[in-house]
Amino acid sequence: MKCRVRKFFSRLLLLGVLVLSISLISDILNTATAAAAIRQLEEAPGQVVYQSRETLKDQHGNRWGTIAFKRIRPDGKASFDLRLVGFPGMVEIDRTQPLLLTDSLGKTWKANDASANIFTDEIQPHVGQYDLQPLVTQLQTAIPLTLTLATINGEPVKLSIPPSLVQEWQTVANY
């Protein structure tokens, strides 16, 4: 009798663990495949912008907005940039230094500052924009990246970029 009860509870426990595992795996898969929607905006007649927006956390848990966008001008010229937006007063970006993109295999690329192209009267110290056009096709979509952003106070900001976001950036760049 005790053996049957123990067997019953063992099976019940195993069933509970299986249901919980399936639920967790389902949540992980849904989170991993959920990507920000790619937006299309018409800024002016004949000028279109495609963009991907995502919020990421740096090494200290501070939130950063990332906006990868391709702008196609009326004359047909296109650019692909990455804008990084920190919380005001939290950080001052050192625009004399390039943005470093490093994959998990140790390969590093440099993206030049393009903050002068931001359409505002005054560039904010917590906002940076970088030209990814020359290197976006070189990034591998199966390998995560780390962005390293130089700051005025000397401590760089590090952002982890999942492979799914790299793939989304390449999709935007190919529009």
Side-chain angles (χ1 to χ4, degrees):
M1 182 73 167
K2 288 182 182 182
C3 187
R4 285 186 192 167
V5 171
R6 190 180 326 174
K7 215 178 211 182
F8 172 76
F9 282 115
S10 293
R11 288 183 178 162
L12 187 62
L13 179 62
L14 180 61
L15 180 63
V17 168
L18 284 173
V19 168
L20 182 62
S21 297
I22 290 170
S23 174
L24 288 173
I25 289 171
S26 175
D27 286 346
I28 289 169
L29 289 176
N30 285 336
T31 301
T33 59
I38 295 174
R39 300 174 186 187
Q40 177 183 347
L41 309 164
E42 186 172 5
E43 292 182 317
Q47 182 164 305
V48 180
V49 172
Y50 298 95
Q51 62 180 226
S52 162
R53 294 175 175 243
E54 188 66 53
T55 301
L56 301 171
K57 290 184 180 179
D58 65 16
Q59 73 270 27
H60 300 294
N62 298 317
R63 293 185 180 272
W64 284 79
T66 61
I67 306 164
F69 61 97
K70 180 174 186 175
R71 177 172 284 123
I72 303 172
R73 292 182 166 67
D75 62 4
K77 290 184 181 177
S79 62
F80 183 71
D81 294 310
L82 176 65
R83 187 173 296 164
L84 301 172
V85 182
F87 193 77
M90 177 184 71
V91 68
E92 287 187 49
I93 297 171
D94 183 355
R95 291 191 184 78
T96 65
Q97 301 297 315
L99 175 69
L100 300 178
L101 297 88
T102 307
D103 69 18
S104 59
L105 300 176
K107 185 165 184 178
T108 300
W109 297 268
K110 293 179 182 180
N112 293 324
D113 181 73
S115 297
N117 298 333
I118 296 174
F119 294 138
T120 60
D121 294 337
E122 181 182 334
I123 298 173
Q124 300 297 316
H126 62 280
V127 178
Q129 186 165 304
Y130 299 89
D131 180 12
L132 293 188
Q133 184 75 39
L135 54 96
V136 68
T137 58
Q138 298 173 41
L139 305 176
Q140 295 185 30
T141 58
I143 301 175
L145 287 174
T146 299
L147 301 184
T148 305
L149 182 64
T151 63
I152 298 296
N153 72 2
E155 183 183 1
V157 170
K158 295 190 182 281
L159 298 168
S160 295
I161 309 299
S164 60
L165 190 54
V166 174
Q167 184 175 16
E168 191 167 300
W169 291 354
Q170 288 183 342
T171 300
V172 170
N174 287 328
Y175 272 99

